[in-house]
Amino acid sequence: MIKKISILLFLSISLSYGCKEDEKKTENERENWWLWTASWNPNDEQISVGGTQDTLRIFSSKTYKLVKAFPMEGTITKTKWHPFKNQLAIAMQGEKSKSLIFNPKSKESIQLDSLDEFGVRAIGWNKMGELLAVGDYSGSLNIYDESGKIIKKINTKQKGLIGLDWHPEKNIVVAVGEKISVYNFDKDSIFDIKPRKEEVLMLCIDWHPSGEFFVTGDYGDFEKDFPPLLQFWSANGDNIKNIEKSKAEFRNIKWSNDGEILATASEFLGLWNKDGDLIKQSKSENLIWGIDWNKSNSRIVTTDGKGKILIWDKELNKIKELQY
């Protein structure tokens, strides 16, 4: 019972912050239309978007028009395209939701078993796409093959896992929650990193394409005046740099494919270089939740807490708002 209460409080804190006082609904705004995730597919042809609206939406990258909308039961917290195939790994949360592998063309879906009943936010394929990692709200890191069969279930001893990412070359996955867990699939070994003196919820992690380091973004704690941090880490888990620049949590982060620029989603869209210097930013009227680059590093897609989907160029000029 104590564990269940702890998880529910954990989820409540994570969900509720999207409705901070300065983001309350006006007459013409959507409320609770949180679009959690946006993901460009590897061939640059489509963009997947999901959130609280019980719908997976696929947009064309050429016309920026809605191609298809697929009903889903529950909140879509993350979508990740397979590196080579036309299929998505979809993380879901909600009482009746099931995380799954989904093919938008054939509509074939494979439900992922052995996950926590409260749901999932952390999901991702390894480089070759033969392994899928899923971190759930019980703190389990679950490894599946590409057919959806579970291979390993690792207890990270965290209250819940919120984000994860595979090393760009090796079968090493980093998962974050209240700490950082680094799991080596080939060696079946794991070690932890305590990211801060304060206890804060970590939300996102992204390996640099070189594999030499990774970056994490967290929630901070506004009641205790702990600011959100971007943190740079070596592949061995040594802290390289801590950056305090945002007044809101870092919901998602993503390196460009060439590794030159890190894009971050918070109260502003931020672009950072490899040294952690902020080189460009654009203030957002709503908290940004989802973020991703296209293949050529020329466009960024963002989603926010009021249902907006925006396309930007690398100079942070707004190109298009997607309609649906």
Side-chain angles (χ1 to χ4, degrees), residues 5 25 52-53 72 90-91 115 121 123 144 151 157 184 224 253 262 266 281 283 287 308:
I5 292 171
K25 180 182 177 184
T52 57
Q53 302 165 35
M72 298 273 168
I90 303 176
L115 297 171
R121 278 175 65 176
I123 199 165
Y144 299 84
I151 300 171
K157 299 180 181 179
N184 188 313
K224 297 180 180 178
I253 58 177
L262 177 70
S266 60
Q281 65 173 309
K283 182 73 176 178
L287 184 67
K308 282 190 175 182

Side-chain angles (χ1 to χ4, degrees), residues 243-305:
I243 301 169
E244 180 186 332
K245 291 276 189 179
S246 180
K247 295 179 181 179
E249 71 268 22
F250 289 99
R251 278 275 157 189
N252 278 291
I253 58 177
K254 185 64 180 178
W255 283 101
S256 58
N257 295 305
D258 60 9
E260 292 299 316
I261 304 175
L262 177 70
T264 60
S266 60
E267 90 273 18
F268 62 87
L269 170 57
L271 300 183
W272 314 71
N273 63 22
K274 290 181 285 187
D275 295 324
D277 301 316
L278 181 61
I279 54 177
K280 289 184 186 298
Q281 65 173 309
S282 180
K283 182 73 176 178
S284 175
E285 59 183 313
N286 305 313
L287 184 67
I288 302 173
W289 285 52
I291 196 164
D292 200 14
W293 289 87
N294 69 346
K295 185 178 181 180
S296 64
N297 310 306
S298 61
R299 296 286 186 270
I300 301 168
V301 59
T302 62
T303 58
D304 71 19

Side-chain angles (χ1 to χ4, degrees), residues 15 39 43 50 113 151 181 236 259 316:
L15 284 168
S39 182
N43 62 18
D113 296 326
I151 300 171
S181 297
N236 295 324
L316 298 192

Side-chain angles (χ1 to χ4, degrees), residues 30 33-35 37-39 46-60 65-72 76 79 81 88 90 102 104 303 307 309 322-324:
R30 300 159 173 168
W33 276 45
W34 307 335
L35 290 179
T37 179
S39 182
Q46 294 182 325
I47 304 166
S48 60
V49 174
T52 57
Q53 302 165 35
D54 298 328
T55 305
L56 171 70
R57 291 183 173 89
I58 306 292
F59 294 86
S60 166
K65 292 183 178 179
L66 181 65
V67 176
K68 189 70 177 178
F70 300 96
M72 298 273 168
I76 299 171
T79 62
W81 291 92
L88 279 161
I90 303 176
F102 180 69
T303 58
I309 309 168
L322 276 56
Q323 303 298 319
Y324 59 97

Side-chain angles (χ1 to χ4, degrees), residues 23-31 285-286 306:
E23 291 178 352
K24 283 186 176 179
K25 180 182 177 184
T26 66
E27 287 185 1
N28 297 320
E29 286 181 322
R30 300 159 173 168
E31 187 173 13
E285 59 183 313
N286 305 313
K306 294 290 173 65

